[in-house]
Amino acid sequence: MPLLHQINGAFQIASPFSTTHSSLPCFLSVLFFFFSFALLGFMVVPFTQKDKFDKLVFTQLPPRKTQAGQILPLIQIQANPEADQLVELVVHGRAHVTGTTQKRLIVNKGHPSIAYFDDIRISPAGHYVIEIRSVNNHAIYAKSPHQTTVEPPPRPRTALEVLFADYSHMLDH
């Protein structure tokens, strides 16, 4: 069956769905053909790009030192472009961690995806290693190259110490 027919001076595409030379079945088959490729283009290509998630790298490292109960400075991680998976912050050791420890990577159109942790608190005092890893695949992670030392919070001064501090400068003269 030829693919192109000339009918009344106009060319029509032959369709396996058409038994006559009507243009409606031909139009429907062409429409189906283009719709199939368009659907594949929207579903397959982005799916494979988003599926590419195999690395995490710190762009803002965890601090080397902090005080128990204080909010840590911003910790930022980057991943493959177009990755939008869920990542989690894990503190190795017997730490009590508060704040948002799971974040979804933010897609950054053509640039590495990022996630940041900006409300994390760690206690008690001690030495800890901070890691950020994929929630779905723990083999994808970034571990801080140094320990974070959490120091105890400063001890509140007693009323007597405050009173003595106020008068100590007078006694020095």
Side-chain angles (χ1 to χ4, degrees):
M1 170 189 250
L3 293 175
L4 231 49
H5 292 281
Q6 186 175 10
I7 301 174
N8 297 334
F11 287 99
Q12 290 186 342
I13 299 172
S15 167
F17 304 112
S18 174
T19 56
T20 67
H21 291 291
S22 167
S23 61
L24 181 61
C26 179
F27 173 74
L28 291 176
S29 66
V30 169
L31 185 63
F32 176 76
F33 176 76
F34 285 116
F35 178 72
S36 299
F37 278 109
L39 187 61
L40 281 174
F42 284 116
M43 291 178 64
V44 173
V45 174
F47 178 74
T48 56
Q49 287 175 348
K50 286 185 179 182
D51 236 19
K52 177 91 170 113
F53 176 53
D54 62 1
K55 71 174 181 175
L56 287 170
V57 178
F58 281 105
T59 52
Q60 285 289 120
L61 287 167
R64 290 184 181 275
K65 189 184 288 189
T66 188
Q67 285 187 347
Q70 274 189 343
I71 294 177
L72 298 180
L74 178 110
I75 300 169
Q76 186 172 310
I77 197 86
Q78 75 179 25
N80 304 78
E82 306 299 322
D84 68 348
Q85 281 74 13
L86 197 61
V87 293
E88 65 183 341
L89 183 137
V90 177
V91 179
H92 295 280
R94 293 181 174 230
H96 175 72
V97 182
T98 59
T100 310
T101 58
Q102 288 192 348
K103 296 273 184 124
R104 181 158 303 280
L105 288 164
I106 301 166
V107 176
N108 197 8
K109 294 199 180 189
H111 299 286
S113 297
I114 61 169
Y116 59 91
F117 299 86
D118 59 354
D119 64 347
I120 302 297
R121 297 174 195 258
I122 302 174
S123 59
H127 302 283
Y128 305 102
V129 175
I130 296 175
E131 173 184 319
I132 298 178
R133 65 185 181 197
S134 166
V135 170
N136 296 327
N137 183 355
H138 292 178
I140 302 172
Y141 67 93
K143 192 176 278 192
S144 175
H146 57 263
Q147 285 187 337
T148 297
T149 301
V150 178
E151 298 176 336
R155 180 179 65 80
R157 298 185 335 179
T158 64
L160 185 59
E161 289 172 327
V162 171
L163 183 62
F164 183 73
D166 289 343
Y167 290 108
S168 66
H169 74 281
M170 289 191 276
L171 296 173
D172 291 336
H173 294 333

